[in-house]
Amino acid sequence: MRLYEYEGKELFKMVGIKVPKGVITSEPIKWEGKAVVKSQLLEGARGKRGLVRVTDDVYNTILELKKLGIQKFLVEEYIPHSKELYLSALIDRDTGDPLIAASPEGGIDIESSTNVKTFRIPLERGVKTYDVIAIEKYLGVKGLEPFIKGLYSLVVDYNAELAEINPLAVLDNGNLVALDSKVILDDNALYLHEDLLKKFNRQEQVESLVELGGDIGIVGNGAGLTMATMDMVKLSGGNPADFYDIGGGAGREKVREALLKVASLPGVTRVFMNIYGGITRCDEVAIGIVNALNELEKQGKKIKVYVRLVGTNEEEGWRILKEHNIPVYQDFKTLLGEALRS
Amino acid sequence: MLQYGTKIVAGVTPGKGGTEVYGVPVYDTVADAVKEHEADASIIFVPARFAPDAVYEAVDAGIKLIVVITEHIPIIETAKMIKYAKMKGARIIGPNCPGIINPENSLVGILPPRAFRKGKVGIVSRSGTLTYEVSELIKKELGQSTVIGIGGDPIIGTDMVEVVKAFDEDPETEYIVVIGEIGGTMEERVAQLKKKGLIKKKMVGYIAGLTAPREKRMGHAGAVVYMGMGTFESKVKALKEAGIPVANTPYEIKDILLSL
């Protein structure tokens, strides 16, 4: 689960990472002196889109941004600084140990940076002074300890998959302040942090859907098969609207929910389903599809569904779909050929 | 698994000790079970919140191969349990995996038997259903030696590199198919081995996630690109540079194998 900047900064404060003084508001407020008004959105590149503004007139800046549809703002003291660094923590997939990633070039898109160095901190021992010294030397600053320990703690104690400070500002007096936060929590560990979810008024949710913006809805079972499905649609000249994995062993309810959700995406008129039933039963899938289509018909929505369905109880699944005149295929290649032509 | 011929000697469910399921005796703890039976492997279907405990229990009872089917275990818990197993000399396959099948011999997992026939292709994959799909496509002409689903999580007990090395030494395996996806660097590491000439057998690769956006999790906890690491492009490039043909679709894997 990706956190808003202000939520990430709340966590920063809890683990001892210094952030600018600020308030969160949804309405224009009075503010003495220079401030930074930061629109709270989950997407990146806010700066480029003009949604982060340095201003002496906080009140009117918020009014203007509200006209653009922004609902929440973090207003912070303006912090003059001479240098920006990058610092983050995540788990190394190969060793299972936390990594600290650091770059002397902060404030930019880290993917395009060429001088990111990673420091592995074995889980068994945690952050030691000599780790801190090595990273301070690389970045050419002092006073990193609370930042490194804080980021490490977010990964190990708060189940963050990624905890990032970009930029980390270096002030003229040498002090350090985290100007921005990006924290992504492990969805599978949210049950361990119910207090945080409550505090942020966020709900634990399983994200089975990723929107891609095209017009062909995609539903599959299993992440690999679903990804392969959207890739094949794209390679054949179609435009996938989404990625939706119903997971292993999905019953009729899950299938119905998936199809309704995908059918409701803007611009979707066709949905391609690709199901290989192992622990998933084809008859259950078929019933789910029929139920969803009945509902869509009642809503007056015209959605064409093409289904590739094989595996456990396939014959019963085919029978149910054919009974309702829903095109069913045993091979996704054939489905693609026919469905894209229609 | 029983139907497939896997010798299941015991089941473990706390509180169910002394009962039987399909003629297999059930025990309260793994320690109780290994007192009565000789077991080489354990398979874990326990829900995510309790799965790590089940892994520790199996390791402490001296089991050396543990297949973890369970999905949704927190990453940090997985990292800890894998470190513990390694320290104790046990191997974990998974978590979040469909298991392992040696066609017409043995199955430890949930792979559907219909997709497999004894043959010469070793398949290692990060995905479940995609593996069944590819297996079924090559079933008639080639068949499979062993198929391992290593799991879709970011941290797993047995990685692609280890499996590819094992296939290279396995006399039953003639060709190796690697089914990868975005995220992590396993596919890149496999490619490096091949490039260095450390893998002798012919290989075919496939990577899912051509159209996946950055920083979005694509179903699997492990199918996500952070800080530009493990993109589709980087994997395909690495495999191709190592001389491993890369299929554009799962269907092409069969065509490439038949042309090798």
Side-chain angles (χ1 to χ4, degrees):
Chain A
M1 175 193 275
R2 176 145 183 191
L3 298 184
Y4 288 98
E5 177 193 1
Y6 75 94
E7 296 171 333
K9 281 180 168 167
E10 283 296 315
L11 284 183
F12 279 5
K13 282 190 244 170
M14 287 162 72
V15 296
I17 293 175
K18 193 166 167 31
V19 298
K21 286 196 193 80
V23 289
I24 186 83
T25 177
S26 48
E27 293 304 323
I29 52 164
K30 299 265 189 241
W31 185 279
E32 283 294 315
K34 207 173 190 181
V36 189
V37 175
K38 309 182 85 178
S39 307
Q40 297 298 293
L41 297 172
L42 291 177
E43 303 89 64
R46 291 174 303 168
K48 279 183 205 147
R49 291 159 61 200
L51 301 176
V52 174
R53 297 184 188 174
V54 179
T55 176
D56 289 313
D57 185 357
V58 169
Y59 193 93
N60 282 307
T61 303
I62 292 180
L63 269 185
E64 279 170 31
L65 287 167
K66 271 184 83 107
K67 280 185 200 143
L68 300 174
I70 312 289
Q71 286 164 349
K72 230 175 217 171
F73 307 90
L74 176 62
V75 182
E76 283 182 341
E77 57 176 333
Y78 174 74
I79 304 221
H81 55 279
S82 48
K83 208 172 149 191
E84 297 191 333
L85 310 172
Y86 173 92
L87 198 65
S88 70
L90 73 171
I91 293 253
D92 177 23
R93 296 171 61 141
D94 298 336
T95 61
D97 287 324
L99 288 180
I100 300 290
S103 166
E105 272 175 58
I108 55 156
D109 175 14
I110 202 63
E111 278 189 29
S112 58
S113 175
T114 50
N115 50 9
V116 179
K117 199 166 166 184
T118 57
F119 301 81
R120 187 157 68 90
I121 317 273
L123 201 49
E124 292 87 347
R125 66 161 168 84
V127 181
K128 298 289 174 201
T129 313
Y130 52 91
D131 295 317
V132 175
I133 294 172
I135 301 167
E136 285 180 340
K137 277 198 170 160
Y138 180 64
L139 295 180
V141 289
K142 292 245 186 278
L144 274 182
E145 184 165 348
F147 294 87
I148 293 169
K149 285 198 167 158
L151 290 176
Y152 180 89
S153 166
L154 287 177
V155 167
V156 173
D157 306 322
Y158 289 86
N159 296 88
E161 277 182 13
L162 178 69
E164 183 178 273
I165 306 174
N166 187 24
L168 174 62
V170 185
L171 279 54
D172 286 336
N173 62 9
N175 284 353
L176 303 170
V177 182
L179 291 192
D180 199 356
S181 86
K182 178 153 109 191
V183 177
I184 301 175
L185 298 179
D186 180 354
D187 287 336
N188 294 334
L190 293 178
Y191 74 93
L192 297 169
H193 303 288
E194 275 165 10
D195 48 330
L196 280 183
L197 295 183
K198 217 177 193 175
K199 184 173 171 180
F200 297 145
N201 199 16
R202 297 275 291 260
Q203 251 140 37
E204 208 178 317
Q205 51 187 16
V206 187
E207 266 306 319
S208 334
L209 176 81
V210 178
E211 289 185 47
L212 301 170
D215 61 339
I216 298 172
I218 307 284
V219 176
N221 71 324
L225 184 65
T226 311
M227 264 191 279
T229 302
M230 71 185 197
D231 291 351
M232 284 189 279
V233 168
K234 185 83 181 178
L235 286 169
S236 308
N239 262 324
D242 71 291
F243 162 96
Y244 198 122
D245 171 17
I246 59 170
R252 60 185 79 178
E253 211 21 62
K254 259 195 173 163
V255 173
R256 187 191 71 99
E257 204 181 288
L259 192 48
L260 288 177
K261 176 84 192 157
V262 170
S264 74
L265 294 174
V268 169
T269 52
R270 297 179 283 180
V271 179
F272 297 177
M273 296 184 68
N274 195 359
I275 307 292
Y276 191 116
I279 51 172
T280 307
R281 281 170 42 190
C282 293
D283 52 331
E284 279 291 313
V285 172
I287 293 168
I289 296 171
V290 170
N291 290 347
L293 285 176
N294 283 341
E295 237 165 279
L296 286 169
E297 202 180 307
K298 271 188 218 151
Q299 295 170 13
K301 256 201 180 135
K302 283 206 166 61
I303 297 279
K304 186 92 179 132
V305 178
Y306 299 84
V307 188
R308 183 282 179 123
L309 185 65
V310 295
T312 311
N313 289 5
E314 59 188 15
E315 278 167 23
E316 183 59 12
W318 298 337
R319 192 190 61 74
I320 296 167
L321 291 177
K322 279 179 187 152
E323 221 174 78
H324 291 82
N325 295 319
I326 299 163
V328 58
Y329 303 83
Q330 294 190 39
D331 172 45
F332 190 74
K333 235 173 22 181
T334 319
L335 180 157
L336 255 187
E338 290 187 20
L340 282 176
R341 262 200 311 276
S342 68
Chain B
M1 281 193 286
L2 272 176
Q3 274 177 9
Y4 209 71
T6 308
K7 293 185 201 99
I8 301 178
V9 293
V12 175
T13 305
K16 295 275 174 67
T19 61
E20 274 190 9
V21 177
Y22 295 113
V24 176
V26 176
Y27 297 85
D28 283 322
T29 66
V30 183
D32 286 350
V34 296
K35 254 183 241 157
E36 303 293 328
H37 308 276
E38 219 177 291
D40 309 307
S42 164
I43 179 163
I44 291 174
F45 295 104
V46 178
R49 290 181 195 197
F50 313 104
D53 279 14
V55 170
Y56 290 110
E57 188 182 350
V59 172
D60 284 340
I63 307 258
K64 295 299 176 204
L65 178 64
I66 302 160
V67 177
V68 187
I69 305 296
T70 310
E71 183 178 5
H72 300 308
I73 303 173
I75 299 178
I76 201 90
E77 294 305 320
T78 300
K80 287 179 190 164
M81 78 191 190
I82 289 173
K83 279 170 179 280
Y84 186 73
K86 276 192 181 145
M87 190 183 78
K88 294 275 185 173
R91 172 179 291 286
I92 291 178
I93 295 182
N96 189 12
C97 82
I100 171 166
I101 188 167
N102 184 236
E104 292 162 39
N105 177 29
S106 188
L107 164 67
V108 184
I110 54 168
L111 300 105
R114 63 171 265 168
F116 305 93
R117 186 178 70 84
K118 195 170 180 53
K120 45 192 169 185
V121 182
I123 303 179
V124 54
S125 171
R126 286 169 66 185
S127 155
T129 44
L130 187 55
T131 312
Y132 316 157
E133 177 88 271
V134 173
S135 297
E136 191 152 337
L137 286 168
I138 64 166
K139 179 180 167 184
K140 215 172 114 208
E141 281 103 329
L142 296 153
Q144 311 89 9
S145 52
T146 293
V147 177
I148 304 184
I150 54 174
D153 273 5
I155 294 179
I156 50 177
T158 300
D159 73 11
M160 219 169 235
V161 175
E162 295 171 276
V163 178
V164 168
K165 277 187 192 160
F167 279 148
D168 203 43
E169 284 162 20
D170 171 33
E172 286 177 17
T173 300
E174 221 171 286
Y175 306 106
I176 303 168
V177 171
V178 170
I179 302 175
E181 60 192 31
I182 54 162
T185 58
M186 275 190 297
E187 295 84 352
E188 284 88 336
R189 286 186 286 122
V190 166
Q192 273 168 17
L193 274 192
K194 181 76 179 167
K195 204 172 176 181
K196 284 186 194 151
L198 296 172
I199 304 294
K200 301 274 177 283
K201 288 177 185 167
K202 287 184 175 164
M203 295 179 64
V204 178
Y206 173 75
I207 307 290
L210 162 73
T211 48
R214 297 281 164 94
E215 287 195 0
K216 295 279 185 189
R217 165 154 295 106
M218 307 305 283
H220 280 156
V224 60
V225 174
Y226 285 145
M227 294 172 64
M229 288 189 291
T231 60
F232 177 88
E233 295 75 20
S234 121
K235 289 176 191 301
V236 170
K237 186 168 165 249
L239 292 172
K240 283 188 174 163
E241 278 177 7
I244 302 169
V246 180
N248 287 315
T249 71
Y251 295 97
E252 274 184 30
I253 295 175
K254 179 178 121 184
D255 305 335
I256 297 177
L257 278 171
L258 289 173
S259 72
L260 289 177

